[in-house]
Amino acid sequence: MTASLSSVNGDRTNGAVPVPASKRKWNWAWLGLVPFLAFLFLFLLLPAYGVIRKAFIGADQQFTWTGMSDAITKEDLAFRQSIKLSLMTALLGAVLGTMLAYAAATAQRPRWLRSLVTSFSGVAANMGGVVLAFAFLTLLGTQGVGTKILKTFGWDLYEGSFRLSSFAGWVTVYLYFQIPLMVLVTLPAIDGLKTSWREASSNVGGTSWTYWRRVGLPVLAPSMLGGFMLLFANSFSAYATAYALNTGAPLVPIRISNYLQGDVSGRSPMPFALAAWMILIMAVAMGGYLLLRRRAERWRT
Amino acid sequence: MKRTNRTRTALALLTAGSLTFAACGDDSSGDSATTVKPAVTTVAAATTVAATTTVAAGALDALTAACTAEKKVNLIALPDTWANYKGILQAFRDKYPGVENPVANPDASSQEELDAVVNLKGQADMPDSIDVSPPKAQIAVDEGLWEPYTPTLAAQIPDGLKDPAGNWIAAYYGIVAIGTNTTIVPNAPKTWADLKKPEYKGKVGLNGDPRKSGSGLAGVMAASLANGGSADDILPGIQFFADLKKSGNFIPVDVTPATVVSGETPIAIDWSYNFPSLVDELTKAGLSVEVNFPSDGIYGGYYSQGVVKGSPHQNCAKLWVEHILSDEGALGYLAGGAMPARYAELVKAGKVTDDAKKNLPADDLIAQIKFLTPTQIANAAKALEDNWGPMVADA
Amino acid sequence: MADVTPSVSGAAVRRRRTARLGPNLVLAAAAVFFLAPLLAMARFALQNVPVIFLGRSTLFKNYSFEAFAKAFHAPQFQGTLVLTLKLAAATVLCTLALLVPTALYVHLRLPKARGLVEFLTVLPYVVPPIAMVAGVAAFFRPNARWFLNSNYALVPFYVVLALPFTYRAIDAGIRSIDVRTLVDASRSLGAGWFTTMFRALIPNLMTSIVSSSFLTATVVMGEFTIAATLSKATFPVFTFQYQTSSARGGVALALLALVGTTMLLGMLTLLTRRGPRRRAVARF
């Protein structure tokens, strides 16, 4: 059917024979993907299936919604905290990250600045949770150098309810990898803002503000929005950092591991229901990111 | 490209792909103990029978020989500074040269020990012997994780300190105390009521989450006894910590040797036997520590040790249990400030010098210790499961 | 031809300076925010003065590498480090062996599948590590216990974890060279498929192969979630546990891991810049 048409045009199938391709030939070609597909099936889809299946199986081995509903009701604090945290770090990360990306992309003078920012962002975005948590503990922990310095300037960080393992603390620490991630995602988009557009805008009498409002931000919007969704997903699923700060934090990933490890028999559906909810949320966020990225790529030739 | 070439391409890539996939997916480690196992099981069968039927000196020698063949005992969650485990581990190595006793994850909670037993089942580094709090010991009984073993000195252990079915024994016990890094907090709290003072804001830590860790549970139980609770009622203790958390005094940081030294938890609620070994480290860093036994709530508790079912080095696990009950082990615990199970026997035999007793709490405090019954332990654990989260951890 | 003379008027320079004030402030603030934790970590690991005693007089006292030395002598240091390095090597090999043929195959033989494959390589994002380890417990523990017994059971999951980055890098490399011409040329000279692959294609893909290898290695060396939940004794897990008994030692190890990762990624940047075409690496 469609196969014969494209092979008649002979474009994308590297000089394929201009006869209607038989069904057997196409099946044969797809076999080459079997190793890859089988690998993903075994080590990605089967675990995901295991999670979803166990989330919906109750104590009596029957299908039930109670696992999923229990997860939401019993751990509603964890969900609220995780979502709040992810929204906050995604928002702040998106704004600050874009600002930093813009500053780095348009910097003229130290010519190594842009590549320095890019390289550092690459390191920081991937920084393992344990390393980052330790770093902030030594800086802003109760016995941290930063805490002490701030105290000498009169600001007792721990006077209020601030703790590294409180909401404000998590936001501070998470931003350390959220901002660089945003930088990495947004830099290409900012590069795509052609200077000719800026000149054209001022040529027809626009100010800097008009440029941004009418040209710059609309072009950047899909990238920024996509970055926001990516950052949301990244923050929601972050485990190691929060765990290293407080092994009992009320966040969904920590809860999953608490249940997984506290249940020697593995019969409770809680961790699996929580994980199933997490997969759902991640699917929505990542789906949004991918769609927006495709839109953003339209501006990049 | 010719059709045959394309076919050959596909075939080649497919073969390459499948071969590598097979290699990727089936990488079992070569460290499996399969070659060692047959020898061990036959020897173990012989010696286990001997050790459990008669309390004969010969049994210990046979066990030693079998263990020397195994060369290793996998231990877990035994910090150097906990009841002088550093000394006890060293004494084991001195007594049985050629047998290693590595300790995985020294600061693991009792729950994490059970997780390791389940997670590492069948692996060469599966824990051979564990040291867990009473509620986790009960879970281990329910899940069939213990290998019942009656040590040679079992007759000398009081009934309250061993499992009737032979699953575990309790080699030591101690009292909950409040230790303070007095360089950071000059005015150390002396009672549970003291802990509520506003000057201690952001300074009080518990050793572990009470739902997972025995020291945490003990701390809450002791607080309960000081606030109108009893061995059957741990709720006042949970309420105490809830109040402490609301006032900001209680911080959700696990007390570890590191946090006491660094000053992150200047006031630590922990077993008294966890402080003597820390004194050296603290003095080296120029800090001082004061340990107080709060008079308004005295709680004593033990830990259960035993052999893990199906572990790779069964004989060495049994030898380790023998060691911690032996004189060397008992004196080691004593030096660390914990009461060994066979304390009465040791005193009778004149083996306890005054110097050995210097880290122990006062005798009258020890006399007040009453261990919880299994039912009381189970109730306390359940109350914590249900209430600690909503009232304290997530509040 | 128009002569483009740069503007030299004082007003223009002043305008440029004020226009850069905002961005420069942002850069300065970012520098402080990102460097401060690293400096604090380095100070804590290198200086044996508790913060409570830290003052102007003690600021430069007691610097040494003793925390590092003590950490190196910790009983589990060597074993866990070696295991993590072995896992990294195994993951890199498996990744390359799986992805390079697949990417080439899709490019040469099955372009229709490209969209599907790209979608599949982003799928690991939807199942984050903590959900994946729950899945491992849900599926593999009851059904294939023997698989989890080995430490190398982590490798396939690490391959999946790194998939988005690595596939992108390899795919970008393939798209930047004219694979078809290379293959045609090589085949027309009489080379078989393996020769073509190893002597014509792979040398030209070296940059992207090496960059995806480095990326995979950094992912593996920092992976904590799956290893910790499955009680595998890898280096990040050991660092976390060691910190509870020796704070300075744990931070020293974390610092080491950070320096190692930075060096790897630094080499990566150098490599990708040296090629005749600038390769954009690891676009998310």
Side-chain angles (χ1 to χ4, degrees):
Chain A
M1 291 171 274
T2 41
S4 45
L5 270 173
S6 65
S7 52
V8 161
N9 293 335
D11 49 354
R12 280 187 279 118
T13 50
N14 50 338
V17 282
V19 296
S22 68
K23 225 168 146 220
R24 285 189 90 212
K25 184 152 91 94
W26 281 112
N27 285 344
W28 183 245
W30 283 86
L31 270 179
L33 274 186
V34 161
F36 180 70
L37 293 174
F39 186 84
L40 275 185
F41 177 76
L42 256 185
F43 299 112
L44 178 60
L45 294 177
L46 278 182
Y49 165 72
V51 162
I52 295 176
R53 186 177 159 274
K54 272 212 160 180
F56 286 104
I57 299 263
D60 54 353
Q61 303 300 311
Q62 305 286 26
F63 179 93
T64 168
W65 289 97
T66 51
M68 294 295 275
S69 58
D70 269 352
I72 291 266
T73 48
K74 275 204 206 153
E75 294 294 343
D76 69 309
L77 176 69
F79 274 99
R80 269 185 288 125
Q81 293 281 67
S82 274
I83 291 179
K84 250 179 30 178
L85 177 66
S86 306
L87 282 175
M88 181 67 99
T89 56
L91 190 63
L92 285 175
V95 169
L96 296 172
T98 310
M99 282 165 54
L100 183 58
Y102 181 73
T106 55
Q108 308 276 13
R109 212 52 83 69
R111 232 165 306 173
W112 40 262
L113 186 68
R114 187 214 159 95
S115 48
L116 176 70
V117 171
T118 322
S119 320
F120 183 83
S121 297
V123 175
N126 280 320
M127 204 140 122
V130 175
V131 174
L132 185 61
F134 287 1
F136 266 94
L137 274 171
T138 58
L139 180 70
L140 291 178
T142 46
Q143 295 292 309
V145 171
T147 315
K148 178 144 185 163
I149 293 178
L150 288 173
K151 213 182 283 193
T152 57
F153 282 116
W155 180 14
D156 186 359
L157 202 58
Y158 283 81
E159 196 177 23
S161 62
F162 175 83
R163 295 209 54 81
L164 263 189
S165 177
S166 67
F167 190 81
W170 293 329
V171 172
T172 314
V173 179
Y174 274 30
L175 278 177
Y176 198 90
F177 57 77
Q178 294 284 66
I179 294 180
L181 185 58
M182 190 66 184
V183 168
L184 288 174
V185 172
T186 319
L187 259 179
I190 292 186
D191 282 344
L193 285 175
K194 300 192 179 20
T195 41
S196 50
W197 297 346
R198 183 96 196 225
E199 288 167 7
S201 160
S202 54
N203 275 347
V204 294
T207 62
S208 193
W209 169 240
T210 331
Y211 167 71
W212 278 113
R213 195 165 76 84
R214 295 291 194 82
V215 182
L217 283 178
V219 171
L220 279 184
S223 269
M224 286 178 67
L225 220 57
F228 173 83
M229 309 222 70
L230 180 66
L231 259 57
F232 179 88
N234 197 34
S235 166
F236 195 86
S237 62
Y239 170 79
T241 315
Y243 188 77
L245 287 175
N246 177 4
T247 58
L251 292 171
V252 176
I254 310 278
R255 281 289 187 257
I256 295 178
S257 87
N258 285 155
Y259 280 107
L260 266 182
Q261 295 191 303
D263 185 8
V264 171
S265 52
R267 280 188 279 269
S268 160
M270 271 303 257
F272 307 108
L274 287 170
W277 279 115
M278 176 181 261
I279 293 179
L280 184 65
I281 294 177
M282 295 294 287
V284 170
M286 286 311 293
Y289 164 66
L290 285 177
L291 284 171
L292 285 162
R293 189 178 72 185
R294 204 159 284 187
R295 278 207 68 191
E297 276 173 358
R298 268 202 265 144
W299 290 112
R300 292 181 9 224
T301 41
Chain B
M1 247 204 279
K2 297 222 200 90
R3 200 181 303 177
T4 43
N5 284 346
R6 241 178 297 164
T7 323
R8 264 191 265 158
T9 319
L11 253 178
L13 286 168
L14 173 62
T15 327
S18 348
L19 279 175
T20 47
F21 162 61
C24 274
D26 251 345
D27 264 324
S28 341
S29 152
D31 310 326
S32 66
T34 42
T35 44
V36 183
K37 254 210 226 148
V40 166
T41 35
T42 42
V43 177
T47 40
T48 322
V49 172
T52 47
T53 46
T54 44
V55 184
L60 205 54
D61 291 334
L63 198 60
T64 313
C67 172
T68 319
E70 281 175 353
K71 294 210 189 83
K72 200 165 162 189
V73 58
N74 293 330
L75 300 170
I76 183 173
L78 304 177
D80 275 349
T81 55
W82 180 290
N84 187 28
Y85 260 118
K86 183 170 180 181
I88 298 172
L89 287 162
Q90 184 60 50
F92 183 84
R93 288 192 289 270
D94 295 337
K95 238 189 340 191
Y96 309 109
V99 182
E100 296 178 348
N101 51 7
V103 177
N105 201 356
D107 203 63
S109 66
S110 299
Q111 179 58 57
E112 284 160 3
E113 294 185 60
L114 296 187
D115 293 332
V117 167
V118 170
N119 275 334
L120 298 175
K121 184 162 145 186
Q123 269 192 234
D125 49 354
M126 178 184 184
D128 291 307
S129 170
I130 52 179
D131 178 354
V132 290
S133 61
K136 302 302 174 189
Q138 188 54 45
I139 294 180
V141 170
D142 296 335
E143 297 288 329
L145 300 178
W146 295 111
E147 174 73 36
Y149 174 65
T150 311
T152 52
L153 296 168
Q156 296 181 17
I157 306 176
D159 281 334
L161 288 172
K162 61 187 177 197
D163 180 50
N167 284 305
W168 50 262
I169 49 97
Y172 64 96
Y173 56 97
I175 304 181
V176 174
I178 304 176
T180 311
N181 182 331
T182 38
T183 314
I184 298 180
V185 179
N187 184 17
K190 295 194 170 44
T191 64
W192 290 102
D194 278 348
L195 287 176
K196 289 188 146 175
K197 290 197 196 151
E199 68 188 273
Y200 301 129
K201 178 152 185 224
K203 297 194 158 51
V204 182
L206 195 57
N207 187 347
D209 183 323
R211 298 169 287 187
K212 293 201 252 174
S213 129
S215 43
L217 188 154
V220 180
M221 198 68 215
S224 182
L225 293 174
N227 285 284
S230 69
D232 295 297
D233 184 16
I234 198 173
L235 220 51
I238 305 179
Q239 185 60 53
F240 176 80
F241 278 98
D243 296 337
L244 227 54
K245 175 116 192 271
K246 192 157 351 140
S247 67
N249 286 23
F250 176 62
I251 47 179
V253 178
D254 277 359
V255 166
T256 68
T259 59
V260 178
V261 171
S262 76
E264 208 180 331
T265 54
I267 303 175
I269 301 172
D270 201 353
W271 297 110
S272 64
Y273 49 70
N274 279 336
F275 294 111
S277 314
L278 275 179
V279 171
D280 285 335
E281 261 198 79
L282 284 161
T283 13
K284 231 198 315 191
L287 305 163
S288 54
V289 68
E290 184 181 313
V291 180
N292 286 309
F293 295 92
S295 47
D296 45 350
I298 292 282
Y299 174 74
Y302 59 83
Y303 275 77
S304 309
Q305 300 85 33
V307 178
V308 173
K309 194 188 210 99
S311 79
H313 313 103
Q314 287 284 298
N315 291 305
C316 282
K318 294 176 179 144
L319 196 62
W320 170 256
V321 173
E322 294 285 347
H323 170 71
I324 56 179
L325 285 172
S326 69
D327 289 346
E328 291 90 358
L331 289 171
Y333 284 123
L334 210 53
M339 290 288 290
R342 290 173 49 237
Y343 185 65
E345 294 290 327
L346 283 171
V347 168
K348 238 195 302 186
K351 294 198 180 143
V352 179
T353 63
D354 275 335
D355 187 58
K357 281 172 66 173
K358 67 174 185 309
N359 286 324
L360 274 187
D363 286 331
D364 60 316
L365 289 172
I366 296 178
Q368 293 182 43
I369 297 179
K370 265 197 288 283
F371 298 132
L372 298 183
T373 66
T375 339
Q376 290 170 327
I377 290 172
N379 289 338
K382 179 114 196 352
L384 281 168
E385 269 301 322
D386 294 336
N387 296 303
W388 182 262
M391 285 174 73
V392 183
D394 301 338
Chain C
M1 208 150 14
D3 202 6
V4 184
T5 41
S7 160
V8 287
S9 72
V13 170
R14 265 198 307 277
R15 228 179 307 127
R16 192 162 3 144
R17 284 225 194 97
T18 44
R20 290 296 305 168
L21 185 63
N24 284 344
L25 272 176
V26 168
L27 286 168
V32 169
F33 178 67
F34 286 104
L35 286 178
L38 304 179
L39 291 173
M41 194 159 71
R43 185 218 73 89
F44 187 72
L46 290 170
Q47 185 181 28
N48 189 13
V49 172
V51 169
I52 191 168
F53 292 141
L54 202 58
R56 218 166 297 180
S57 57
T58 54
L59 196 54
F60 293 109
K61 288 221 175 128
N62 271 348
Y63 279 87
S64 72
F65 282 102
E66 59 172 1
F68 290 87
K70 212 170 126 210
F72 291 165
H73 284 106
Q76 285 193 297
F77 172 78
Q78 214 175 347
T80 54
L81 186 60
V82 166
L83 176 65
T84 296
L85 290 173
K86 282 195 202 166
L87 286 174
T91 310
V92 165
L93 282 173
C94 277
T95 304
L96 292 175
L98 183 68
L99 287 186
V100 173
T102 303
L104 282 171
Y105 186 77
V106 167
H107 195 84
L108 290 171
R109 262 309 250 130
L110 207 57
K112 276 187 183 284
R114 184 181 304 155
L116 172 68
V117 172
E118 278 185 0
F119 169 73
L120 287 176
T121 56
V122 185
L123 225 46
Y125 276 137
V126 175
V127 185
I130 186 64
M132 177 175 290
V133 73
V136 170
F139 185 81
F140 283 89
R141 215 183 262 172
N143 297 331
R145 181 91 221 197
W146 52 269
F147 176 68
L148 291 180
N149 279 352
S150 156
N151 281 330
Y152 288 92
L154 290 172
V155 171
F157 301 112
Y158 284 177
V159 172
V160 172
L161 218 60
L163 205 60
F165 310 109
T166 47
Y167 187 81
R168 227 153 229 290
I170 294 176
D171 189 55
I174 291 179
R175 277 194 275 175
S176 70
I177 64 176
D178 192 349
V179 187
R180 209 150 294 150
T181 311
L182 274 171
V183 168
D184 285 343
S186 159
R187 306 272 290 135
S188 69
L189 288 170
W193 270 109
F194 282 116
T195 320
T196 308
M197 177 98 122
F198 284 97
R199 292 189 65 185
L201 292 172
I202 289 193
N204 279 294
L205 292 171
M206 255 325 185
T207 313
S208 58
I209 285 181
V210 173
S211 28
S212 63
S213 308
F214 280 1
L215 284 169
T216 311
T218 49
V219 167
V220 173
M221 307 231 290
E223 203 287 323
F224 174 78
T225 309
I226 303 182
T229 315
L230 293 179
S231 301
K232 304 289 186 198
T234 61
F235 190 70
V237 173
F238 166 65
T239 306
F240 177 76
Q241 292 170 356
Y242 187 64
Q243 212 261 354
T244 56
S245 54
S246 163
R248 291 186 62 222
V251 173
L253 291 177
L255 198 57
L256 262 174
L258 183 62
V259 168
T261 314
T262 312
M263 285 194 334
L264 266 181
L265 288 174
M267 284 197 272
L268 175 70
T269 319
L270 278 174
L271 239 140
T272 54
R273 268 206 290 171
R274 218 185 282 154
R277 295 191 188 123
R278 283 189 59 152
R279 208 78 296 120
V281 192
R283 295 277 184 84
F284 290 83

